C-alpha cells in the first residue's frame, strides 16, 4: 500500500516573517511530501508524521477551518528547530472524494502509522475527525487514554446528526469499551448542560473545569496530559483575545501561554501516539495571530517530544522512590512512585482484577497521607466494580 493512495502532494511551506537564518528554522527540519513509491515501511526513520485535515464539512458554523492547515504550516515553518533534531515528515493533506472516504482513510492511516511507531500530528479541520482517529488507534489497543482540551462537552442533543459538536456521543456509544480514561480539560461550567455532565459521569469520564487549571494551577493538568495516547486540542478553549473563534460564547479560556504549556505536557508524555489541533478558522482571523499561536502550540508539543526521556517506573526501579500509604478507614494500601530527579508521580489503581500505573501529582499522595482516598484511585475502583 503506497502513501500516495492517502495523501495529496504538499509543497514546502513558505517561511514567513523570517526571524532567523533558514537553516535554523523548523521548516528546514521538516521533510515535506512523500517520494514516489513510498510505503509505510519507508516512514520508520521518522518520529513524527504531520497530517493535514483540509475539511470543514462536519464542522457546523465553522466553515473555513479547512483552510487552517495551510496557514499554520507557513507559521510553523518560521519557528526555530526543536532542541533535539527529531525526524519530522509532513505527509500532506488527507485525501478522499467524500467525507466518509476521508474518515476511512484516517482510520487506516492512524492504524498503520501507530504500528510503525510514529506519533501523528493532525492539523486543521473540525473535531469530528477525533472519531476515526480513535477508531484507528483502538484497533491495536483497547485501553486508550484520551485527553481533550475543550470549553464545552460535545454531546448530541435534540436528535442532532453526527458532527464536530456531537463526536463525544459517538465515542461513548461505540468506543467506550476501548477507552480506559477520557479527560476534558478547561470546561467552562456555564457552557455545560446538566444532562451532559451526567453523561460524562455515567461513562466514567473526567471533566476538569477551567478554574482548576488557570495560572499557577496549570501544572495540575500535567498528569492528564502525560498519560494521553490521544491528545486533542479544540482552539475554542483559548481566550478570544489570544485566538479569534467562530463563536462569541468563548470569551474566557486559557491564555496563549497556558495553551502552549498544555501542549508541552502532552509532548513530554510517555505514551503519545497522536496530537490533534482543530477548529482554527483563518477566514475570521484577519490579524493572523491565531495561526501563529496554533504554530507555537504545535512547536511546544514537538520540542517537548524532542527532549522526551522514556519514563516507566517499574522498568527502572532504582530511579524511583516507592511510597505505600495505608488508609485505615478504607482498609486499603495505595502504592505511589516518584521520580527522584524530576518529582513526577504515579499511582497504582485497581483495574481488571489487577493494577494499572497512572500519572498523578504529589497532591494525590498528600491526600492519601491525610486519610482520604485520592480521586483518581476511587474513580477507577468504582469504574471497575460497575463494569
Amino acid at each position: 500500500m503506497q502513501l500516495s493512495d492517502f495523501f495529496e502532494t504538499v509543497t514546502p511551506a513558505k517561511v514567513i516573517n523570517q526571524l532567523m537564518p533558514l537553516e535554523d528554522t523548523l521548516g528546514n527540519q521538516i521533510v515535506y511530501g512523500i517520494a514516489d513509491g513510498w510505503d509505510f515501511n519507508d516512514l520508520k526513520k521518522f518520529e513524527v508524521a504531520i497530517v493535514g485535515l483540509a475539511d470543514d464539512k462536519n464542522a457546523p458554523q465553522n466553515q473555513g477551518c479547512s483552510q487552517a492547515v495551510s496557514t499554520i504550516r507557513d507559521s510553523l515553518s518560521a519557528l526555530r528547530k526543536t532542541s533535539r533534531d527529531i525526524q519530522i515528515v509532513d505527509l500532506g493533506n488527507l485525501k478522499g472524494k467524500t467525507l466518509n472516504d476521508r474518515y476511512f482513510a484516517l482510520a487506516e492511516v492512524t492504524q498503520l502509522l501507530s504500528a510503525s511507531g510514529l506519533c501523528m500530528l493532525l492539523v486543521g479541520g473540525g473535531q469530528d475527525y477525533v472519531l476515526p482517529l480513535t477508531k484507528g488507534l483502538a484497533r491495536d489497543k483497547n485501553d486508550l487514554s484520551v485527553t481533550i482540551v475543550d470549553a464545552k462537552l460535545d454531546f448530541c442533543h435534540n436528535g442532532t446528526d453526527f458532527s464536530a459538536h456531537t463526536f463525544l456521543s459517538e465515542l461513548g456509544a461505540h468506543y467506550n469499551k476501548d477507552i480506559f480514561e477520557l479527560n476534558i480539560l478547561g470546561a467552562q461550567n456555564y457552557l455545560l448542560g446538566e444532562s451532559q455532565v451526567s453523561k460524562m459521569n455515567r461513562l466514567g469520564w473526567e471533566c476538569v473545569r477551567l478554574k482548576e487549571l488557570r495560572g499557577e494551577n496549570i501544572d495540575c493538568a500535567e498528569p492528564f496530559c502525560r498519560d494521553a495516547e490521544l491528545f486533542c486540542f479544540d482552539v475554542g478553549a483559548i481566550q478570544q483575545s489570544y485566538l479569534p473563534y467562530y463563536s462569541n460564547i468563548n470569551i474566557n479560556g486559557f491564555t496563549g501561554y497556558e495553551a502552549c504549556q498544555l501542549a508541552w505536557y502532552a509532548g513530554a508524555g510517555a505514551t503519545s501516539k497522536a496530537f490533534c489541533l482543530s477548529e482554527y478558522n483563518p477566514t475570521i482571523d484577519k490579524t493572523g495571530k491565531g495561526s501563529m499561536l496554533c504554530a507555537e502550540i504545535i512547536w511546544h508539543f514537538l520540542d517537548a517530544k524532542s527532549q522526551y526521556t522514556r519514563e516507566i517506573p517499574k522498568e527502572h526501579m532504582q530511579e524511583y522512590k516507592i511510597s505505600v500509604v495505608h488508609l485505615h478507614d478504607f482498609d486499603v494500601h495505595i502504592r505511589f512512585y516518584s521520580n527522584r530527579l524530576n518529582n513526577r508521580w504515579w499511582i497504582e489503581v485497581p483495574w481488571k482484577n489487577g493494577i494499572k500505573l497512572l500519572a498523578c501529582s504529589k497532591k494525590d499522595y498528600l491526600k492519601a497521607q491525610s486519610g482520604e482516598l485520592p480521586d483518581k484511585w476511587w474513580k477507577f475502583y468504582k469504574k471497575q466494580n460497575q463494569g
Side-chain angles (χ1 to χ4, degrees):
M1 187 177 295
Q2 295 189 348
L3 287 164
S4 57
D5 296 334
F6 294 100
F7 297 102
E8 297 174 350
T9 303
V10 63
T11 56
K14 298 179 296 183
V15 176
I16 58 174
N17 301 324
Q18 187 173 339
L19 303 173
M20 64 193 80
L22 284 175
E23 61 268 22
D24 294 333
T25 64
L26 191 61
N28 192 57
Q29 181 179 345
I30 298 172
V31 174
Y32 290 93
I34 49 181
D36 291 338
W38 269 20
D39 60 21
F40 284 87
N41 287 324
D42 294 303
L43 297 180
K44 291 185 176 179
K45 63 183 177 181
F46 297 100
E47 296 170 66
V48 177
I50 299 174
V51 174
L53 300 176
D55 175 52
D56 56 20
K57 188 172 182 179
N58 247 352
Q61 304 172 325
N62 200 19
Q63 277 66 47
C65 66
S66 59
Q67 301 177 37
V69 61
S70 60
T71 61
I72 294 173
R73 271 195 182 103
D74 291 343
S75 297
L76 188 63
S77 67
L79 303 180
R80 63 162 286 171
K81 295 192 293 186
T82 54
S83 298
R84 181 176 70 84
D85 194 17
I86 59 173
Q87 302 300 305
I88 306 169
V89 59
D90 189 329
L91 298 176
N93 294 342
L94 194 73
K95 68 181 182 181
K97 292 182 179 180
T98 67
L99 183 60
N100 284 334
D101 286 344
R102 290 188 288 275
Y103 286 163
F104 174 81
L106 181 58
E108 293 295 307
V109 165
T110 300
Q111 181 185 19
L112 292 166
L113 291 178
S114 178
S116 299
L118 275 79
C119 177
M120 295 178 64
L121 173 56
L122 295 102
V123 183
Q127 276 191 298
D128 51 306
Y129 278 91
V130 174
L131 189 68
L133 188 54
T134 303
K135 181 179 180 180
L137 291 174
R139 287 175 179 172
D140 294 324
K141 195 172 189 297
N142 61 2
D143 57 349
L144 287 172
S145 290
V146 181
T147 293
I148 299 171
V149 179
D150 206 331
K152 58 193 184 308
L153 299 177
D154 292 303
F155 288 109
C156 67
H157 51 89
N158 301 328
T160 48
D161 294 331
F162 172 72
S163 71
H165 290 176
T166 66
F167 75 95
L168 284 180
S169 294
E170 292 297 310
L171 280 186
H174 300 291
Y175 295 102
N176 193 39
K177 68 181 188 305
D178 301 307
I179 295 174
F180 170 67
E181 62 174 333
L182 186 144
N183 307 293
I184 305 289
L185 305 183
Q188 299 175 31
N189 203 36
Y190 37 78
L191 303 180
L192 312 181
E194 185 177 345
S195 61
Q196 295 175 317
V197 175
S198 296
K199 181 77 169 178
M200 288 285 292
N201 292 334
R202 287 197 301 272
L203 290 167
W205 296 351
E206 183 85 5
C207 185
V208 186
R209 290 175 56 187
L210 176 66
K211 72 170 188 176
E212 299 173 42
L213 302 174
R214 289 298 315 278
E216 294 180 356
N217 291 330
I218 192 67
D219 62 341
C220 295
E222 190 274 335
F224 297 105
C225 301
R226 193 197 323 162
D227 270 351
E229 291 153 299
L230 171 56
F231 188 96
C232 307
F233 205 129
D234 179 343
V235 299
I238 300 172
Q239 291 179 27
Q240 280 195 332
S241 57
Y242 288 88
L243 194 148
Y245 193 59
Y246 74 88
S247 170
N248 288 326
I249 64 172
N250 290 42
I251 303 302
N252 290 306
F254 291 110
T255 65
Y257 174 84
E258 290 162 352
C260 290
Q261 190 69 50
L262 292 172
W264 176 273
Y265 290 149
T271 58
S272 177
K273 294 179 180 291
F275 181 98
C276 182
L277 185 81
S278 58
E279 301 290 344
Y280 169 61
N281 190 335
T283 66
I284 62 171
D285 178 17
K286 305 306 180 184
T287 65
K289 64 181 180 181
S291 174
M292 183 53 73
L293 178 54
C294 287
E296 291 176 3
I297 291 169
I298 292 170
W299 184 90
H300 279 81
F301 172 79
L302 291 173
D303 197 57
K305 197 148 194 71
S306 78
Q307 300 178 46
Y308 161 66
T309 302
R310 183 174 175 83
E311 279 190 284
I312 300 180
K314 290 194 174 184
E315 291 185 2
H316 307 284
M317 292 299 297
Q318 68 279 6
E319 299 175 13
Y320 297 84
K321 177 183 178 181
I322 301 174
S323 304
V324 181
V325 180
H326 179 67
L327 280 75
H328 297 279
D329 291 347
F330 304 95
D331 194 26
V332 295
H333 289 83
I334 301 180
R335 188 183 299 262
F336 292 87
Y337 299 80
S338 57
N339 187 311
R340 302 174 190 273
L341 300 178
N342 60 23
N343 202 33
R344 284 183 171 179
W345 287 76
W346 290 260
I347 183 175
E348 286 185 352
V349 300
W351 189 247
K352 294 182 178 179
N353 299 316
I355 59 165
K356 192 174 178 72
L357 205 59
L358 291 184
C360 70
S361 68
K362 188 174 182 179
K363 292 178 183 177
D364 294 297
Y365 169 67
L366 295 176
K367 188 172 186 177
Q369 274 200 321
S370 69
E372 297 181 65
L373 281 172
D375 293 338
K376 184 162 283 193
W377 190 96
W378 178 235
K379 169 186 171 181
F380 288 103
Y381 176 83
K382 288 193 301 180
K383 189 172 183 177
Q384 177 173 258
N385 284 275
Q386 289 171 355

